[in-house]
Amino acid sequence: MIVPHPIQRRYLAEELVRLRRADEQQRYAAAQRQGRIDPNPHQIDAVIFALKRFPEGGCILADEVGLGKTIEAGLVVAQLRSEGAASRVLLVVPKPLLGQWQDELYRLFGIQAVEGRLEPGGFSGAEVFLVGREVAGSERGAEFLRDTEPFDLCIIDEAHEVFANIYRRFDKEGDYRSDSPEARIADRVRSFLRHTPVLLLTATPIQNNLTELWGLIQYVEPTGTLLGNLRTFRDVFCDGDDRTLVRGQDDELRRRIETVVQRTLRRQAQDFLERPFVARHAQIFEYSMTAREKLLYDQVTAYLLEPQLFAFRGNQRRLLLIGFHRLMGSSIAALTASLRKVAARLDRMLAGHTLEQVDTLLDDLEDDEIEIEPEGEEKAAIDLKLVEKELERVRSFISLAETLRRDSKADKLLDVMRVIAERPAGRQRAVIFTESLVTQSYLQDLLLDRGGFRPEDITLFRGTNDSARAAQALKRWQEEIGDSLPAHQRPSRSVAMRLALVHEFKTRSRVFISTEAGAKGLNLQFCDTIVNYDLPWNPQRIEQRIGRCHRYGQEHDVTVINFLAADNEAQKLTFEILSRKLDLFGKVLDASDVVLHEPSTDTPETLAGAVGSDFEGRLRRIYERARTVGEIEAELRRLREEMEDERKRFEETWARTAGLIETRFDQRVKEAFRRLQTDLPPGLARLDDEMDRLITGFLLALAVPHQRIAVNGNIRFELSASDRLPDGWRDGGIVAIGEARNLEDADALHLGHPLVQAAVTEARDATVTQSPVAWILDKTAPRELLAHKEKRGRLILVRIRYEGFERVDRLIPIALLEGEVSPLSTDSANWLLDHQPQDRPAPRKLEIESDVVDDAVEEMAFTDQLEVSGEERAPFERNLEQLERYVEDQLLVLRRRLSAARQSLLAAQDKRESALGAELRSQAEARVRSIQEGIDAIESEVARLETRDDADYQKWRRRVQQRRDTPPQIHRLLDVEFVLE
């Protein structure tokens, strides 16, 4: 095979890696070759929008729940890192989602995200860093991140939950209050971002009021001129309160918001999804407790509701009591184990020993959100007789639990598992969730002893997976998948363990029993049945559980099975709130498939996040304060009504404001998606072809032993060991060009891949000095070239870099012939670069003066700038218009105030004229003077703004002008003498 000439390799390399506009086909196609996904058109559209916005400060992606904002963010990160534009990326996410982000970035994009640490070097280097928002927004965390090297990009997930409240730190005049106690996490995160572009992800940028949206926009619009300060925004757009928009301002606010916010709805994307969305429904299996089970439940409940308990003393009393209520709802086994710990605690108290830490009593819950404070020293005297009496009581509970002959809920689970086993092949799997480690082990034993399951049928997943079975699963995964991955793609042990246990469930076992650790980040869409053996009190945790299976890629409707004790009114009321007021489970059926509830929303995730965010806190307060079961039930009924009212208020607010962010007409959106869907395949084909030619040329040029094989639409390169390959590849390996989604034994090539980067470097090094060449003209050559056969000339490849509103590289080939002043056409120059030249020694010195070359380069650059300036005109005018609106908003508010002040002046003058007595007249005169002074001040401010004598306006206008007028950087990449033969 002919080795491509260095000139061709250089041109191909530069064309492949040059910076392009966000909407250029090859740019948005490039990121897909790193991802093991086939993005949907709406996701590509979101990436284009985000890439366009980053030079301006950032944007908000507000797609409806389930449309894959994580994939959109991953595509953005992959693209920017491959371009070298974002070597340091920070992802600020809710703590429970850290594992999910880490897993998905690795699994879908091969990006090894590391969890940042508040210690020297904890955020150093060119990495993608993950940090919990609570850590990033803590005083210590924000100070640490302020002092670290700046980030090139920051992504904030679930931005609405904390960061929208930044508006609370501004006073009624719109001035920032540094000493405000409000929204501290949001403020601290904003403080260390400085000039970092920000990508906010949220399905609900407006939950309660318009000022939340104003708050979010402060992170992505650093000029502050899009909506003005908070007072101006309220005066212009809010009618009376922050929930209501001024009549007639809908279109104007919508037009401004769409500058920084993009939202796609499910109905808009549905027709273009490879796999459509599936439904989900809940199925309730009721069971009746035996008399002895009910006795145990009632006695322990009564015990926990008593105000003075020695086992639960000090500053951890509330935490312990709530933990016990949760364990009691999990299983008899979990309750019994916990009662034994309580008994041991009371025993130590009687013996005068130091009590163990509280967390040992709650470690069964494996809850990473439980915040244990150091126990303070208990000063009150302890009545040992009462302690002994309490201990006897706890021991009686234990005895009763140990002598129970039946576990009614466990029996019902066995019934459920028998029903699942009768389903068609491929749909007999189930994921069982529990909050308790003890319950997890108990359920495993139950299924082995009474359910007819073998050990290999069951996979356990928990926070620490250190069992022999887990090690065996990891070893098998390494042999089947891990060992075939190149060194730079091999995950950390913790990520590999998660992948291994999911792989075991997908390929071998039938039941996946998981604690809450598995609700965060696992992808189990190959299973369509979830069993909640117990239910967390936090609706978002329940949603996380369901989301493991009910996610994009699921082929069947998902069934969520829940258990309810028929004789436990409190449990039934809690489930009613979750299922009917929050629509958390979709359609609700009983065990006989009778419909009990039809949902009124198809996005319960949004409702749960907006209305149910404090549901767990409310439940806790009910159980803390109640002293009888009757009080609990009464408070739960009250909570049920409150949740109904809150839901109605949310829906009313959403109905008024959703249109502001749902700005795009369905037909227009679908046309854009259809165009992307049509244009993408040829764009990918062109990208793959260029990458194939680059890698082939690189391997041939360095004489690296390899085989190139076309298989299933992909190009595979099987590389033999060679010290000429880049680090991590010198032992050889397999790489592939094309769709990466189903690659298992090959590494996907993309622009950021070490092999591609090595090929680019080699092409550049090979053309540092270039000998003269000859092009043999054939019948495909342009007539212009054929007419100049035997002539000599110079070929210059110029890269022009524009740093305007988008950073763009343009490659301009310039071919000059000896004795000619004007260069050949661009078509002729491109033909030369596309065809293989041959090295030829120059017979004599080429007679083309340097100033002729300089003039040709300058002329071609000028022509190119004219074309680019046309593309820059729209963002330039849009930025100027935004600045003008910024001033006009202020003038609108001032003129309103001026009109009101003049009315007040007339009233004050009338009052002065009618004043009787010197004192009243003096007071009235003072009032007139005061109002007049206010009018003079407003008029002065109006005059100042009318002449645009405003510091912010002038500052940002200068910046807009500079961005348009910044001269491009011109680099000569190639300069080679040639002869046409």
Side-chain angles (χ1 to χ4, degrees):
M1 185 177 286
I2 297 174
V3 179
H5 195 277
I7 291 175
Q8 285 184 299
R9 302 204 301 276
R10 178 66 184 275
Y11 179 55
L12 187 59
E14 298 296 348
E15 178 64 22
L16 196 60
V17 301
R18 71 177 175 87
L19 296 175
R20 290 173 161 84
R21 293 194 181 278
D23 56 0
E24 280 192 56
Q25 192 180 71
Q26 195 152 327
R27 189 179 189 196
Y28 61 72
Q32 295 182 58
R33 288 310 185 223
Q34 182 167 354
R36 293 179 179 272
I37 53 169
D38 186 9
N40 293 299
H42 74 272
Q43 293 164 337
I44 300 168
D45 193 42
V47 171
I48 292 171
F49 179 77
L51 292 175
K52 280 184 177 179
R53 274 295 310 170
F54 287 147
E56 310 288 339
C59 68
I60 302 171
L61 295 183
D63 288 357
E64 210 166 15
V65 171
L67 288 175
K69 290 186 289 295
T70 306
I71 290 175
E72 294 167 0
L75 287 167
V76 166
V77 172
Q79 182 63 31
L80 292 178
R81 281 175 66 80
S82 71
E83 295 171 352
S87 59
R88 288 174 50 76
V89 178
L90 180 68
L91 286 102
V92 181
V93 306
K95 184 179 178 182
L97 300 184
L98 285 168
Q100 176 173 331
W101 272 95
Q102 191 172 41
D103 284 2
E104 295 204 355
L105 286 175
Y106 172 76
R107 185 177 57 84
L108 298 178
F109 299 97
I111 295 173
Q112 297 264 21
V114 298
E115 191 169 344
R117 306 177 311 281
L118 300 184
E119 59 185 52
F123 285 90
S124 297
E127 302 282 357
V128 176
F129 294 99
L130 283 163
V131 64
R133 65 187 177 202
E134 298 79 8
V135 173
S138 67
E139 193 169 348
R140 177 168 173 254
E143 183 179 357
F144 188 92
L145 289 165
R146 267 193 299 271
D147 293 338
T148 195
E149 184 183 353
F151 295 97
D152 302 310
L153 174 66
C154 177
I155 298 173
I156 299 178
D157 191 22
E158 303 295 348
H160 60 277
E161 292 182 1
V162 172
F163 299 95
N165 290 332
I166 190 76
Y167 75 90
R168 293 178 178 171
R169 297 187 66 83
F170 293 79
D171 64 21
K172 64 180 182 179
E173 298 298 321
D175 295 324
Y176 172 77
R177 294 180 297 151
S178 60
D179 59 346
S180 170
E182 300 286 350
R184 287 176 174 171
I185 288 178
D187 183 58
R188 288 169 184 152
V189 169
R190 190 176 178 222
S191 73
F192 68 69
L193 290 175
R194 298 186 287 265
H195 303 298
T196 299
V198 177
L199 172 59
L200 299 183
L201 306 176
T202 172
T204 50
I206 305 174
Q207 285 194 349
N208 298 301
N209 56 61
L210 293 167
T211 47
E212 292 176 342
L213 183 59
W214 179 92
L216 289 178
I217 288 175
Q218 304 314 296
Y219 288 87
V220 300
E221 208 290 299
T223 73
T225 61
L226 181 64
L227 299 179
N229 70 17
L230 185 57
R231 176 175 179 177
T232 301
F233 175 75
R234 280 175 163 150
D235 286 344
V236 173
F237 293 108
C238 299
D239 188 5
D241 61 27
D242 291 344
R243 292 174 178 266
T244 307
L245 185 65
V246 171
R247 186 182 298 276
Q249 285 286 56
D250 307 53
D251 290 341
E252 176 60 22
L253 184 55
R254 186 182 297 114
R255 189 165 66 90
R256 297 193 196 187
I257 288 170
E258 69 181 4
T259 305
V260 294
V261 180
Q262 178 155 305
R263 179 174 176 83
T264 299
L265 305 178
R266 286 185 179 182
R267 70 169 187 263
Q268 296 169 333
Q270 180 77 39
D271 293 344
F272 302 90
L273 299 179
E274 183 181 2
R275 293 179 178 175
F277 290 110
V278 297
R280 69 190 193 192
H281 63 266
Q283 197 155 20
I284 300 172
F285 285 80
E286 282 198 354
Y287 63 93
S288 296
M289 290 185 278
T290 65
R292 291 177 63 77
E293 284 177 319
K294 186 73 166 62
L295 178 63
L296 174 64
Y297 178 85
D298 290 345
Q299 288 184 350
V300 174
T301 299
Y303 166 71
L304 292 174
L305 294 176
E306 291 182 8
Q308 299 296 329
L309 296 175
F310 290 100
F312 307 107
R313 308 184 81 214
N315 59 344
Q316 304 298 342
R317 168 184 165 78
R318 178 187 61 82
L319 194 61
L320 286 166
L321 286 172
I322 297 304
F324 255 72
H325 279 294
R326 288 166 61 185
L327 289 166
M328 187 163 58
S330 181
S331 69
I332 292 172
L335 175 60
T336 305
S338 300
L339 287 170
R340 292 194 185 104
K341 290 181 181 179
V342 171
R345 184 175 173 87
L346 293 170
D347 262 330
R348 292 180 67 82
M349 197 177 292
L350 285 172
H353 296 152
T354 303
L355 296 182
E356 75 277 22
Q357 286 295 315
V358 169
D359 54 353
T360 62
L361 289 176
L362 297 178
D363 57 7
D364 181 28
L365 285 174
E366 199 181 51
D367 188 342
D368 58 7
E369 292 189 359
I370 292 179
E371 296 181 5
I372 305 292
E373 301 174 8
E375 285 207 85
E377 186 176 341
E378 186 63 55
K379 296 180 180 179
I382 296 176
D383 188 329
L384 295 181
K385 288 185 178 180
L386 292 177
V387 174
E388 189 170 354
K389 186 176 180 181
E390 185 175 328
L391 175 58
E392 289 175 3
R393 191 176 177 190
V394 172
R395 284 175 173 163
S396 73
F397 300 154
I398 296 171
S399 297
L400 177 55
E402 291 175 338
T403 57
L404 291 176
R405 295 183 178 179
R406 282 192 58 195
D407 182 339
S408 301
K409 185 160 78 164
D411 290 346
K412 190 59 68 174
L413 173 65
L414 293 175
D415 292 343
V416 167
M417 299 309 295
R418 282 190 282 271
V419 171
I420 294 173
E422 294 172 358
R423 289 180 176 175
R427 299 191 59 195
Q428 297 173 346
R429 294 190 185 95
V431 179
I432 302 177
F433 277 111
T434 174
E435 289 195 290
S436 161
L437 289 165
V438 171
T439 301
Q440 184 187 47
S441 299
Y442 168 70
L443 295 178
Q444 180 186 30
D445 293 341
L446 176 74
L447 295 179
L448 292 174
D449 295 342
R450 298 174 54 199
F453 288 82
R454 303 166 299 170
E456 57 268 29
D457 292 331
I458 301 172
T459 296
L460 297 187
F461 189 96
R462 53 178 61 183
T464 302
N465 295 293
D466 54 4
S467 66
R469 270 290 305 279
Q472 184 182 26
L474 179 61
K475 182 174 182 292
R476 189 183 299 115
W477 179 85
Q478 291 285 8
E479 293 170 351
E480 296 178 5
I481 296 176
D483 290 344
S484 65
L485 297 175
H488 75 282
Q489 284 287 334
R490 289 172 188 167
S492 64
R493 191 181 190 283
S494 63
V495 172
M497 178 61 80
R498 293 167 70 91
L499 295 172
L501 291 172
V502 171
H503 179 68
E504 179 182 82
F505 180 42
K506 186 175 183 179
T507 58
R508 286 175 174 79
S509 61
R510 294 164 50 200
V511 182
F512 190 86
I513 309 177
S514 176
T515 63
E516 290 305 297
K520 304 161 188 172
L522 299 185
N523 290 283
L524 307 174
Q525 60 264 55
F526 52 86
C527 175
D528 59 17
T529 302
I530 296 166
V531 178
N532 287 314
Y533 196 73
D534 50 41
L535 277 177
W537 285 0
N538 186 334
Q540 289 172 307
R541 286 195 168 206
I542 300 172
E543 179 55 45
Q544 285 173 359
R545 287 181 173 187
I546 299 171
R548 297 313 95 222
C549 299
H550 188 241
R551 58 194 300 108
Y552 181 71
Q554 174 62 257
E555 297 181 353
H556 306 284
D557 288 355
V558 172
T559 301
V560 184
I561 292 171
N562 303 284
F563 299 102
L564 283 182
D567 33 15
N568 187 330
E569 184 65 15
Q571 188 184 85
K572 292 167 74 174
L573 285 166
T574 303
F575 184 80
E576 182 183 348
I577 295 172
L578 293 170
S579 61
R580 300 191 179 213
K581 305 307 176 188
L582 298 181
D583 274 339
L584 197 57
F585 303 105
K587 182 186 293 186
V588 180
L589 313 173
D590 68 8
S592 302
D593 291 337
V594 174
V595 177
L596 303 177
H597 172 67
E598 286 281 3
S600 59
T601 176
D602 58 357
T603 56
E605 309 92 331
T606 301
L607 194 60
V611 181
S613 57
D614 191 39
F615 179 69
E616 181 178 18
R618 294 179 178 184
L619 280 184
R620 286 180 174 179
R621 288 190 287 274
I622 288 173
Y623 279 88
E624 285 169 22
R625 297 167 181 169
R627 292 294 169 258
T628 67
V629 172
E631 288 181 18
I632 292 175
E633 293 171 358
E635 289 298 318
L636 285 172
R637 290 188 183 94
R638 186 175 294 112
L639 177 59
R640 178 180 61 188
E641 302 311 313
E642 290 173 358
M643 296 296 285
E644 176 67 21
D645 292 341
E646 289 179 24
R647 172 175 177 158
K648 287 179 180 177
R649 283 196 298 273
F650 168 74
E651 289 174 340
E652 288 169 359
T653 300
W654 186 254
R656 287 196 306 268
T657 59
L660 296 173
I661 57 172
E662 295 171 2
T663 60
R664 305 191 294 169
F665 293 111
D666 285 7
Q667 190 57 39
R668 194 175 70 196
V669 171
K670 289 181 178 181
E671 286 173 1
F673 291 170
R674 194 171 290 112
R675 185 170 59 253
L676 287 170
Q677 195 174 49
T678 302
D679 292 349
L680 189 60
L684 287 171
R686 184 166 58 254
L687 175 69
D688 291 346
D689 176 66
E690 290 181 1
M691 202 147 21
D692 179 16
R693 290 158 54 202
L694 179 71
I695 295 300
T696 299
F698 167 70
L699 297 174
L700 291 172
L702 296 187
V704 174
H706 70 279
Q707 282 190 302
R708 179 187 176 280
I709 306 166
V711 56
N712 296 329
N714 286 358
I715 303 297
R716 290 166 59 94
F717 292 89
E718 297 180 359
L719 310 177
S720 299
S722 171
D723 59 5
R724 293 183 289 278
L725 289 171
D727 289 344
W729 287 90
R730 288 177 180 155
D731 293 333
I734 303 175
V735 296
I737 295 172
E739 186 176 315
R741 180 170 41 174
N742 297 318
L743 289 179
E744 292 187 357
D745 62 342
D747 202 32
L749 284 177
H750 51 86
L751 296 187
H753 194 282
L755 209 60
V756 175
Q757 293 178 336
V760 172
T761 300
E762 184 279 328
R764 288 171 173 168
D765 291 345
T767 52
V768 172
T769 58
Q770 180 58 54
S771 302
V773 299
W775 267 285
I776 312 300
L777 301 180
D778 58 26
K779 61 182 180 181
T780 67
R783 290 181 179 179
E784 183 181 36
L785 290 179
L786 293 171
H788 292 95
K789 203 168 184 180
E790 306 303 330
K791 283 197 173 183
R792 298 174 63 211
R794 281 172 67 178
L795 178 68
I796 302 103
L797 180 63
V798 173
R799 183 186 70 204
I800 305 179
R801 173 161 293 173
Y802 297 91
E803 300 278 0
F805 294 94
E806 273 194 90
R807 199 177 184 205
V808 178
D809 289 341
R810 310 259 290 193
L811 294 183
I812 310 294
I814 303 170
L816 271 170
L817 295 178
E818 212 170 27
E820 302 287 340
V821 176
S822 299
L824 296 173
S825 68
T826 302
D827 288 343
S828 293
N830 281 327
W831 187 94
L832 297 177
L833 287 170
D834 286 339
H835 288 75
Q836 177 90 346
Q838 297 179 10
D839 291 331
R840 287 277 195 280
R844 58 180 172 78
K845 183 179 179 181
L846 187 65
E847 295 181 3
I848 298 180
E849 298 297 329
S850 295
D851 57 349
V852 174
V853 175
D854 293 343
D855 288 346
V857 170
E858 186 176 336
E859 179 186 341
M860 296 294 284
F862 179 75
T863 302
D864 191 68
Q865 287 177 55
L866 289 177
E867 183 179 335
V868 171
S869 65
E871 297 171 349
E872 293 275 278
R873 187 177 298 114
F876 173 72
E877 292 176 350
R878 186 175 61 247
N879 274 268
L880 288 184
E881 182 190 3
Q882 178 174 313
L883 290 172
E884 293 301 321
R885 285 200 311 262
Y886 166 69
V887 174
E888 289 300 324
D889 283 350
Q890 296 177 70
L891 286 169
L892 173 66
V893 173
L894 287 171
R895 287 164 182 154
R896 285 177 184 169
R897 288 168 56 192
L898 185 59
S899 176
R902 285 171 176 163
Q903 291 295 322
S904 297
L905 179 62
L906 291 175
Q909 289 171 337
D910 289 344
K911 192 170 183 180
R912 180 187 61 186
E913 297 303 320
S914 61
L916 300 176
E919 184 176 353
L920 289 177
R921 187 171 182 80
S922 175
Q923 291 174 357
E925 183 64 39
R927 173 66 176 157
V928 168
R929 282 197 305 272
S930 174
I931 294 173
Q932 185 62 57
E933 288 172 1
I935 289 173
D936 292 343
I938 294 173
E939 288 178 337
S940 174
E941 185 72 1
V942 167
R944 183 182 67 81
L945 288 173
E946 285 178 338
T947 60
R948 301 306 189 253
D949 180 17
D950 179 82
D952 286 335
Y953 172 87
Q954 292 178 358
K955 168 187 171 183
W956 293 113
R957 186 178 177 91
R958 282 194 301 271
R959 183 169 181 268
V960 171
Q961 291 284 163
Q962 287 168 358
R963 292 178 69 183
R964 187 191 67 168
D965 299 338
T966 299
Q969 303 168 29
I970 302 175
H971 301 273
R972 296 190 191 182
L973 304 178
L974 277 174
D975 191 343
V976 59
E977 294 182 18
F978 68 86
V979 63
L980 300 176
E981 294 183 353

PDB file of all heavy atoms in Angstrom, residues 742-754:
ATOM      1  N   ASN A 742     -21.773  -0.707  20.132  1.00  0.00           N
ATOM      2  CA  ASN A 742     -21.734  -2.140  20.403  1.00  0.00           C
ATOM      3  C   ASN A 742     -20.320  -2.717  20.385  1.00  0.00           C
ATOM      4  O   ASN A 742     -20.143  -3.933  20.319  1.00  0.00           O
ATOM      5  CB  ASN A 742     -22.607  -2.885  19.384  1.00  0.00           C
ATOM      6  CG  ASN A 742     -24.071  -2.486  19.504  1.00  0.00           C
ATOM      7  OD1 ASN A 742     -24.593  -2.356  20.606  1.00  0.00           O
ATOM      8  ND2 ASN A 742     -24.722  -2.254  18.372  1.00  0.00           N
ATOM      9  N   LEU A 743     -19.333  -1.827  20.440  1.00  0.00           N
ATOM     10  CA  LEU A 743     -17.956  -2.322  20.471  1.00  0.00           C
ATOM     11  C   LEU A 743     -17.656  -2.938  21.833  1.00  0.00           C
ATOM     12  O   LEU A 743     -17.900  -2.322  22.867  1.00  0.00           O
ATOM     13  CB  LEU A 743     -16.979  -1.177  20.214  1.00  0.00           C
ATOM     14  CG  LEU A 743     -16.931  -0.603  18.797  1.00  0.00           C
ATOM     15  CD1 LEU A 743     -15.921   0.529  18.742  1.00  0.00           C
ATOM     16  CD2 LEU A 743     -16.570  -1.677  17.788  1.00  0.00           C
ATOM     17  N   GLU A 744     -17.151  -4.149  21.830  1.00  0.00           N
ATOM     18  CA  GLU A 744     -16.791  -4.789  23.090  1.00  0.00           C
ATOM     19  C   GLU A 744     -15.311  -5.144  23.146  1.00  0.00           C
ATOM     20  O   GLU A 744     -14.700  -5.103  24.204  1.00  0.00           O
ATOM     21  CB  GLU A 744     -17.642  -6.045  23.309  1.00  0.00           C
ATOM     22  CG  GLU A 744     -19.121  -5.732  23.551  1.00  0.00           C
ATOM     23  CD  GLU A 744     -19.917  -6.966  23.927  1.00  0.00           C
ATOM     24  OE1 GLU A 744     -19.329  -8.069  23.939  1.00  0.00           O
ATOM     25  OE2 GLU A 744     -21.123  -6.816  24.213  1.00  0.00           O
ATOM     26  N   ASP A 745     -14.729  -5.501  21.992  1.00  0.00           N
ATOM     27  CA  ASP A 745     -13.339  -5.924  22.001  1.00  0.00           C
ATOM     28  C   ASP A 745     -12.433  -4.924  21.302  1.00  0.00           C
ATOM     29  O   ASP A 745     -11.280  -5.231  20.995  1.00  0.00           O
ATOM     30  CB  ASP A 745     -13.194  -7.298  21.337  1.00  0.00           C
ATOM     31  CG  ASP A 745     -13.616  -7.257  19.870  1.00  0.00           C
ATOM     32  OD1 ASP A 745     -14.316  -6.302  19.496  1.00  0.00           O
ATOM     33  OD2 ASP A 745     -13.252  -8.184  19.123  1.00  0.00           O
ATOM     34  N   ALA A 746     -12.936  -3.721  21.023  1.00  0.00           N
ATOM     35  CA  ALA A 746     -12.125  -2.709  20.348  1.00  0.00           C
ATOM     36  C   ALA A 746     -12.390  -1.354  20.978  1.00  0.00           C
ATOM     37  O   ALA A 746     -13.459  -1.088  21.522  1.00  0.00           O
ATOM     38  CB  ALA A 746     -12.453  -2.684  18.855  1.00  0.00           C
ATOM     39  N   ASP A 747     -11.392  -0.490  20.881  1.00  0.00           N
ATOM     40  CA  ASP A 747     -11.496   0.862  21.412  1.00  0.00           C
ATOM     41  C   ASP A 747     -11.942   1.794  20.290  1.00  0.00           C
ATOM     42  O   ASP A 747     -11.401   1.745  19.183  1.00  0.00           O
ATOM     43  CB  ASP A 747     -10.131   1.296  21.956  1.00  0.00           C
ATOM     44  CG  ASP A 747     -10.257   2.415  22.967  1.00  0.00           C
ATOM     45  OD1 ASP A 747     -11.277   2.446  23.667  1.00  0.00           O
ATOM     46  OD2 ASP A 747      -9.341   3.243  23.050  1.00  0.00           O
ATOM     47  N   ALA A 748     -12.937   2.629  20.573  1.00  0.00           N
ATOM     48  CA  ALA A 748     -13.459   3.534  19.551  1.00  0.00           C
ATOM     49  C   ALA A 748     -12.492   4.688  19.314  1.00  0.00           C
ATOM     50  O   ALA A 748     -12.038   5.337  20.258  1.00  0.00           O
ATOM     51  CB  ALA A 748     -14.813   4.072  19.980  1.00  0.00           C
ATOM     52  N   LEU A 749     -12.194   4.947  18.053  1.00  0.00           N
ATOM     53  CA  LEU A 749     -11.342   6.077  17.710  1.00  0.00           C
ATOM     54  C   LEU A 749     -12.178   7.350  17.645  1.00  0.00           C
ATOM     55  O   LEU A 749     -13.288   7.355  17.110  1.00  0.00           O
ATOM     56  CB  LEU A 749     -10.644   5.842  16.374  1.00  0.00           C
ATOM     57  CG  LEU A 749      -9.466   4.853  16.385  1.00  0.00           C
ATOM     58  CD1 LEU A 749      -8.907   4.667  14.985  1.00  0.00           C
ATOM     59  CD2 LEU A 749      -8.378   5.318  17.332  1.00  0.00           C
ATOM     60  N   HIS A 750     -11.638   8.437  18.154  1.00  0.00           N
ATOM     61  CA  HIS A 750     -12.284   9.737  18.128  1.00  0.00           C
ATOM     62  C   HIS A 750     -11.182  10.787  18.157  1.00  0.00           C
ATOM     63  O   HIS A 750      -9.994  10.464  18.301  1.00  0.00           O
ATOM     64  CB  HIS A 750     -13.237   9.901  19.314  1.00  0.00           C
ATOM     65  CG  HIS A 750     -12.603   9.584  20.639  1.00  0.00           C
ATOM     66  ND1 HIS A 750     -11.890  10.515  21.361  1.00  0.00           N
ATOM     67  CD2 HIS A 750     -12.546   8.433  21.356  1.00  0.00           C
ATOM     68  CE1 HIS A 750     -11.437   9.950  22.481  1.00  0.00           C
ATOM     69  NE2 HIS A 750     -11.815   8.697  22.500  1.00  0.00           N
ATOM     70  N   LEU A 751     -11.548  12.045  18.042  1.00  0.00           N
ATOM     71  CA  LEU A 751     -10.534  13.094  17.893  1.00  0.00           C
ATOM     72  C   LEU A 751      -9.631  13.221  19.110  1.00  0.00           C
ATOM     73  O   LEU A 751      -8.481  13.649  18.991  1.00  0.00           O
ATOM     74  CB  LEU A 751     -11.208  14.440  17.610  1.00  0.00           C
ATOM     75  CG  LEU A 751     -11.987  14.538  16.294  1.00  0.00           C
ATOM     76  CD1 LEU A 751     -12.465  15.963  16.063  1.00  0.00           C
ATOM     77  CD2 LEU A 751     -11.133  14.072  15.125  1.00  0.00           C
ATOM     78  N   GLY A 752     -10.126  12.843  20.282  1.00  0.00           N
ATOM     79  CA  GLY A 752      -9.296  12.942  21.480  1.00  0.00           C
ATOM     80  C   GLY A 752      -8.524  11.673  21.798  1.00  0.00           C
ATOM     81  O   GLY A 752      -7.803  11.616  22.799  1.00  0.00           O
ATOM     82  N   HIS A 753      -8.649  10.659  20.971  1.00  0.00           N
ATOM     83  CA  HIS A 753      -7.982   9.374  21.230  1.00  0.00           C
ATOM     84  C   HIS A 753      -6.463   9.530  21.097  1.00  0.00           C
ATOM     85  O   HIS A 753      -5.977  10.237  20.209  1.00  0.00           O
ATOM     86  CB  HIS A 753      -8.495   8.325  20.243  1.00  0.00           C
ATOM     87  CG  HIS A 753      -8.149   6.918  20.615  1.00  0.00           C
ATOM     88  ND1 HIS A 753      -6.897   6.378  20.416  1.00  0.00           N
ATOM     89  CD2 HIS A 753      -8.892   5.940  21.193  1.00  0.00           C
ATOM     90  CE1 HIS A 753      -6.885   5.131  20.843  1.00  0.00           C
ATOM     91  NE2 HIS A 753      -8.088   4.843  21.317  1.00  0.00           N
ATOM     92  N   PRO A 754      -5.692   8.859  21.954  1.00  0.00           N
ATOM     93  CA  PRO A 754      -4.221   8.976  21.881  1.00  0.00           C
ATOM     94  C   PRO A 754      -3.659   8.632  20.510  1.00  0.00           C
ATOM     95  O   PRO A 754      -2.690   9.245  20.057  1.00  0.00           O
ATOM     96  CB  PRO A 754      -3.742   7.980  22.947  1.00  0.00           C
ATOM     97  CG  PRO A 754      -4.867   7.851  23.905  1.00  0.00           C
ATOM     98  CD  PRO A 754      -6.117   8.035  23.094  1.00  0.00           C
TER      99      PRO A 754
END
